[in-house]
Amino acid sequence: MIDVRMFDACIVLTAHAEGVLLQKSWNSLARARLRARNHGLTTQVIVVLDRPTPETIRVSASLPEMLDGDKVISVDEGDVGESRNRAMSHANAEWIGVLDADDYVSASWIASSVLTGRADPRQPIIHPEWVVFFGGDAMIQRQRGDDDPLLRRGIFLVANPWNSCSFAHREIRLRFPYRRSNVVGSGFGHEDWLWHCDTIAAGCVHRIAPGSLHCVRSKTDGSMNQDHKRRFAIPARSAFFDIP
């Protein structure tokens, strides 16, 4: 019989050329999974390798403390949004989070996100409260829910108010897959910014997981965000911009 066990949370960990940094991100997740277990939550992790380097493949094959239900899958998408979508089709969980394989999260991230989401019948999309950028340009940013008066709707015209790390209910993830970026061909990029616009336009709410933190590696070279900026990429058309 096929095991169709449903977990409380699944984390999609996207990897490409992170190499040994994947191990550090995995260790960060391990702490968050332990805290989640202390709150009675079961977790699954899916590591998705999208056109990975040999070093990243080597590290992924020796990740410690993999639990029943954890998976490592390989895809040939060349796009972080599409690789997330592929991984989510393998997820067996009520809530699904996304994380890049060179970033870190606080031990509270999973538990705070899932418990915050479950407390709201509207199935909100949940973001970390704090984002710490390190490695290149150091910065600390506090993220705010879309119910916060300090978060103005007009910000979406010029910036993305939330970063890529988020949790959402399985139904939301399957209803709103990430759209592929095509910076070179069409000039469209910033898949997370676009996903936020699309979900808001559809009536989804965005909330904050109290006390949670996401540490983002700020790279001077090889960063997808930097590449998008260098090519003057913009989000593709979204119904969000049709709303008065």
Side-chain angles (χ1 to χ4, degrees):
M1 180 178 295
I2 298 175
D3 183 6
V4 291
R5 175 189 180 190
M6 286 294 289
F7 297 86
D8 295 305
C10 174
I11 299 87
V12 171
L13 188 63
T14 53
H16 166 60
E18 289 77 9
V20 296
L21 296 178
L22 169 58
Q23 174 70 70
K24 295 183 178 182
S25 183
W26 179 266
N27 292 344
S28 168
L29 267 182
R31 291 190 294 270
R33 298 179 80 179
L34 179 59
R35 178 74 63 85
R37 188 176 69 186
N38 292 340
H39 283 271
L41 301 174
T42 57
T43 59
Q44 174 189 44
V45 176
I46 298 179
V47 180
V48 53
L49 306 176
D50 188 7
R51 301 179 183 176
T53 60
E55 179 69 358
T56 302
I57 294 174
R58 184 191 67 79
V59 173
S60 70
S62 58
L63 292 172
E65 301 180 21
M66 291 196 74
L67 306 178
D68 290 343
D70 292 349
K71 304 174 185 178
V72 178
I73 64 172
S74 295
V75 300
D76 183 21
E77 295 291 348
D79 182 85
V80 65
E82 290 288 6
S83 63
R84 288 175 187 159
N85 295 338
R86 291 279 299 277
M88 288 175 193
S89 69
H90 293 265
N92 302 318
E94 179 189 6
W95 292 85
I96 303 176
V98 294
L99 181 69
D100 292 337
D102 56 355
D103 294 347
Y104 311 135
V105 290
S106 62
S108 61
W109 176 56
I110 299 174
S112 182
S113 297
V114 173
L115 295 177
T116 299
R118 283 181 170 176
D120 191 327
R122 295 170 298 178
Q123 297 180 343
I125 296 163
I126 307 297
H127 304 275
E129 182 175 11
W130 296 96
V131 181
V132 176
F133 295 89
F134 69 99
D137 296 328
M139 181 175 67
I140 298 177
Q141 173 188 352
R142 184 176 188 179
Q143 301 195 121
R144 301 179 184 277
D146 60 5
D147 59 338
D148 192 312
L150 293 179
L151 182 65
R152 308 249 176 144
R153 188 181 190 86
I155 188 63
F156 287 92
L157 295 173
V158 295
N160 182 9
W162 304 300
N163 70 351
S164 61
C165 180
S166 67
F167 258 98
H169 193 274
R170 178 182 183 84
E171 293 179 5
I172 300 296
R173 292 295 190 191
L174 298 181
R175 182 181 170 193
F176 300 101
Y178 289 94
R179 290 201 250 168
R180 178 180 287 273
S181 294
N182 185 13
V183 181
V184 176
S186 66
F188 293 131
H190 301 293
E191 70 288 331
D192 299 302
W193 188 354
L194 180 60
W195 191 77
H196 296 149
C197 290
D198 286 344
T199 52
I200 289 178
C204 299
V205 296
H206 290 250
R207 295 295 184 263
I208 299 301
S212 61
L213 181 146
H214 177 209
C215 296
V216 179
R217 188 176 302 275
S218 179
K219 293 174 284 190
T220 57
D221 184 52
S223 166
M224 185 174 62
N225 280 335
Q226 290 297 333
D227 182 58
H228 285 198
K229 290 178 181 178
R230 181 173 58 84
R231 297 178 184 273
F232 301 103
I234 61 173
R237 183 186 180 280
S238 172
F240 173 84
F241 299 106
D242 297 333
I243 303 173

